[in-house]
Amino acid sequence: REAFLNLSRSSYLISKILILFMISAIQALLFVLVANNILEIRGLFFDYWLALFTISAFANMLGLNISSAFNSAVTIYIMIPLLMIPQMALGGAMFSFDKLNRNISSVDKVPIIAEFIAARWCYEALMVRQFRDNEFEKHFYDIDRAVSIGSYRGTKWTDEMQKRIDVALQSVQSNNDSILEASIGVFELLHYEVSKENERNQRIQFASVNSLTPKKFTSQTADSLLRYLGEIKTFYEDLSLRARKKKDAMVIKLDAKDSRLYITQQNNYHNEAVSDIVKNIYMKQVVEYDNKLIRQQDPIFRYPEVEHFFDFRSHFYAPQKHFVGIYMDTFTFNMLMVWFMTLFLYVTLYFDSLKKLMDLFSK
């Protein structure tokens, strides 16, 4: 009908999209007004509304693409669950990504397939925002992060490194080529982890990184590496201790003003279930993967490991994201990603790409 009137396609589409977006904005507003009060989610009203409106906008564009591509209502009804189930299954809420098959998942980053799931971006954004930026935790987040980093690198990481040093030394001293060849991964792990720690910690450096190879590794190298780990252990234990003392001082200061202020704020804003999820408390603390030590607990306190200038991928529940040399708050970055997906769907709708693709397959 509208095609016969020779209307501007962009004007025609935008008119429909604006109406749908307005309805979605009102629906999200009404939902948050009711749900946040019932669930006693305080102080994050706009954040929840924006996240729900953002995912609704994406859903509207997805629905318009389907409507444009298929003429049969029955076909569309069949398509809807096929599109929704991946959003639920790979959104991060129903199933943990570590449960996925290793062929499509990764230990240190969100699986590539989940990067295309809009629900995952919104869910992660809300979980990070709920835990880190509520009126209680935002005052202690940096301190809790220092405690977490100090505890891990001062205890678990150094312990795991010492075990690898023992294996490396035994393989060198065995004078057995087959044993030495089987231990190559251990030397690669030592080289990688020490190099990363040198980049991370400018105060304490291990100068002989190049000696962490099967041919150059000696008992002297092992001794110097153990001394280095001892210094690292002391450094991070002090970091954790100072952070704990700082938090204790802040709590005492709050108690001096009002003896129940700390407990009241914690009860009002802190969610124990959300905390357990974003800290991965039920996961093994560290695993070895691809000759690296991957920390699995406390992802909310870990910044993403950046591999290149355009790298935007990270582990799940990372507190910030990287892209083109810029670090951005997770909530902001994730919302922009979903709006980028929404814009992409508008382009496909404008050019009727999905319908053309279906026609190509039918031919």
Side-chain angles (χ1 to χ4, degrees):
R1 183 184 61 199
E2 288 85 354
F4 282 118
L5 296 175
N6 294 319
L7 297 175
S8 165
R9 182 164 177 80
S10 60
S11 299
Y12 168 67
L13 292 176
I14 289 173
S15 68
K16 286 187 173 296
I17 290 168
L18 285 178
I19 292 172
L20 290 172
F21 278 18
M22 287 174 61
I23 295 171
S24 295
I26 295 170
Q27 287 178 325
L29 179 67
L30 295 174
F31 182 87
V32 173
L33 278 172
V34 177
N36 280 27
N37 281 310
I38 293 175
L39 298 173
E40 297 184 353
I41 299 174
R42 299 180 175 90
L44 298 171
F45 180 86
F46 176 76
D47 305 275
Y48 271 83
W49 173 83
L50 178 61
L52 292 177
F53 170 63
T54 298
I55 196 68
S56 298
F58 171 84
N60 283 324
M61 295 307 304
L62 189 61
L64 288 174
N65 272 270
I66 298 170
S67 179
S68 174
F70 301 101
N71 294 325
S72 170
V74 175
T75 305
I76 294 173
Y77 294 149
I78 294 172
M79 286 294 298
I80 289 172
L82 294 178
L83 292 170
M84 288 184 63
I85 290 172
Q87 295 287 335
M88 294 188 293
L90 297 172
M94 293 181 66
F95 307 106
S96 176
F97 289 136
D98 68 289
K99 306 295 183 186
L100 296 177
N101 189 291
R102 281 284 179 263
N103 292 326
I104 60 172
S105 67
S106 173
V107 174
D108 56 338
K109 294 184 185 295
V110 171
I112 293 179
I113 190 172
E115 303 287 13
F116 300 96
I117 303 298
R120 167 252 154 170
W121 291 99
C122 279
Y123 171 71
E124 181 187 39
L126 284 176
M127 291 295 284
V128 172
R129 184 69 105 196
Q130 177 70 56
F131 174 82
R132 190 190 63 182
D133 298 319
N134 64 72
E135 288 297 322
F136 174 77
E137 182 63 29
K138 71 179 184 180
H139 301 292
F140 301 105
Y141 176 79
D142 291 333
I143 298 172
D144 290 339
R145 180 173 179 270
V147 171
S148 174
I149 293 172
S151 298
Y152 167 70
R153 303 203 74 80
T155 54
K156 191 63 179 177
W157 183 79
T158 52
D159 290 344
E160 293 292 329
M161 290 291 287
Q162 287 173 1
K163 293 177 184 177
R164 270 66 178 187
I165 293 171
D166 292 339
V167 173
L169 188 58
Q170 290 172 11
S171 64
V172 170
Q173 292 176 344
S174 68
N175 292 322
N176 187 313
D177 291 339
S178 61
I179 295 177
L180 198 60
E181 186 176 351
S183 304
I184 288 177
V186 175
F187 292 99
E188 291 180 357
L189 184 146
L190 289 173
H191 187 278
Y192 175 82
E193 291 295 331
V194 173
S195 299
K196 293 296 291 185
E197 184 59 29
N198 277 347
E199 295 176 12
R200 189 182 293 110
N201 190 342
Q202 299 296 323
R203 297 184 183 182
I204 305 173
Q205 295 283 298
F206 184 75
S208 306
V209 177
N210 293 330
S211 64
L212 301 179
T213 62
K215 293 182 178 179
K216 296 181 180 179
F217 197 86
T218 63
S219 58
Q220 289 78 14
T221 305
D223 290 339
S224 61
L225 189 54
L226 287 171
R227 286 194 297 271
Y228 164 78
L229 288 178
E231 294 177 21
I232 288 290
K233 185 179 182 69
T234 302
F235 173 82
Y236 281 108
E237 284 178 347
D238 290 343
L239 175 68
S240 180
L241 182 61
R242 289 196 303 270
R244 292 178 193 276
K245 288 182 177 179
K246 185 176 181 180
K247 185 172 183 177
D248 290 342
M250 291 178 66
V251 173
I252 291 171
K253 187 175 180 180
L254 289 173
D255 287 342
K257 294 180 180 179
D258 183 350
S259 60
R260 293 193 53 82
L261 182 59
Y262 178 84
I263 299 298
T264 302
Q265 290 289 91
Q266 187 179 44
N267 290 337
N268 287 339
Y269 296 103
H270 181 73
N271 188 303
E272 196 67 35
V274 171
S275 176
D276 291 346
I277 292 171
V278 298
K279 289 180 179 179
N280 270 353
I281 62 169
Y282 301 111
M283 296 285 289
K284 189 176 180 181
Q285 191 168 3
V286 61
V287 296
E288 182 178 342
Y289 176 75
D290 196 20
N291 297 325
K292 302 174 185 177
L293 292 177
I294 307 298
R295 186 185 180 193
Q296 292 190 304
Q297 284 191 4
D298 287 354
I300 190 66
F301 295 127
R302 291 189 286 121
Y303 290 157
E305 296 284 347
V306 179
E307 297 179 2
H308 52 81
F309 186 69
F310 295 100
D311 189 14
F312 68 91
R313 299 187 63 208
S314 68
H315 59 277
F316 205 36
Y317 304 128
Q320 65 179 20
K321 300 295 177 70
H322 167 273
F323 186 61
V324 294
I326 300 172
Y327 285 92
M328 193 179 301
D329 171 73
T330 291
F331 185 85
T332 304
F333 183 88
N334 286 20
M335 291 299 100
L336 290 175
M337 281 296 295
V338 180
W339 279 109
F340 174 77
M341 293 180 183
T342 305
L343 179 62
F344 174 77
L345 288 179
Y346 172 77
V347 173
T348 61
L349 179 65
Y350 181 83
F351 292 104
D352 226 357
S353 303
L354 186 58
K355 183 175 179 56
K356 292 176 181 177
L357 184 64
M358 293 296 103
D359 292 339
L360 183 64
F361 276 113
S362 66
K363 291 178 183 178

